[in-house]
Amino acid sequence: MGTETLFDISLTVNGVVREARVPARRLLSDCLRHDLGLTGTHVGCEHGVCGCCTVLLDGEPVRSCLTFAVSVDGHEITTIEGLAAPDGTLSPVQRAFAESHALQCGFCTPGFLCTVTALLRENPSPSDEEILEGISGNLCRCTGYQNIIKAVHRAAEIAAEENGAGVPAGSHRAVTEES
Ligand code: FES
Ligand code: FES
């Protein structure tokens, strides 16, 4: 039996440099969960359909089940574990989802939170249509989408209240890094 070649990679995950030794076909989702112990990123379909595994790659949402870990060597990843402030204060998007009852089982929630964080950073005050388009790659099997849409509007409000009108909503970490 041949031995699989392993590659040393270095990722900045939630602001911290993390190293891993992985085979070429190691998925980013598996690398995060199994190699780095960040199990907040969920894996549902493993086929790029459900959006559960969405993380931010250099600020842009990507499906970590369709991304090879070696292909993002040297890049910056934000997972659900990195959305709250360092003192544990939930981000506007996290608070809005809780307040608006935008989750039930929570399995899809890490993916939604990452997607919505990026969406509001791009568009701090989206319309219903823009929200629907923005979350069209994320499936929720139990909450229904009404409360999720409500939560996105609420997150936009909270971020505007906290940061002043015109400042993009995003994670606390993103705001800190940008300021
Ligand atoms: S687990 Fe990645 S899209 Fe479903
Ligand atoms: S809250 Fe259960 S799948 Fe979305």
Side-chain angles (χ1 to χ4, degrees):
M1 246 177 39
T3 37
E4 199 162 14
T5 308
L6 298 176
F7 298 85
D8 289 316
I9 61 169
S10 167
L11 311 173
T12 303
V13 185
N14 303 326
V16 177
V17 176
R18 305 289 305 268
E19 318 276 344
R21 175 165 288 196
V22 294
R25 294 192 309 160
R26 188 72 149 164
L27 298 172
L28 178 59
S29 48
D30 289 337
C31 179
L32 290 169
R33 289 176 56 84
H34 303 302
D35 299 322
L36 304 182
L38 294 169
T39 53
T41 297
H42 290 170
V43 174
C45 67
E46 291 189 89
H47 283 91
V49 176
C50 71
C52 280
C53 65
T54 304
V55 298
L56 302 180
L57 168 63
D58 298 329
E60 295 297 322
V62 295
R63 285 153 166 34
S64 58
C65 77
L66 294 184
T67 306
F68 289 124
V70 289
S71 72
V72 296
D73 182 24
H75 288 262
E76 201 156 309
I77 310 289
T78 305
T79 67
I80 179 74
E81 289 91 345
L83 296 187
D87 69 358
T89 305
L90 297 180
S91 75
V93 177
Q94 290 174 305
R95 261 177 288 156
F97 267 64
E99 263 183 39
S100 309
H101 307 290
L103 62 139
Q104 288 188 48
C105 78
F107 196 82
C108 67
T109 310
F112 269 99
L113 294 177
C114 288
T115 298
V116 170
T117 296
L119 169 70
L120 290 179
R121 205 179 287 150
E122 285 290 307
N123 181 354
S125 185
S127 64
D128 282 357
E129 289 69 32
E130 288 167 333
I131 294 170
L132 276 175
E133 193 184 322
I135 62 170
S136 60
N138 292 75
L139 303 181
C140 176
R141 297 296 295 273
C142 52
T143 301
Y145 295 92
Q146 289 308 318
N147 283 1
I148 292 176
I149 293 168
K150 230 187 275 172
V152 180
H153 286 302
R154 179 67 190 130
E157 255 173 42
I158 295 173
E161 282 162 18
E162 285 193 354
N163 303 317
V167 175
S171 68
H172 281 285
R173 191 178 301 277
V175 169
T176 307
E177 283 170 3
E178 281 161 21
S179 57

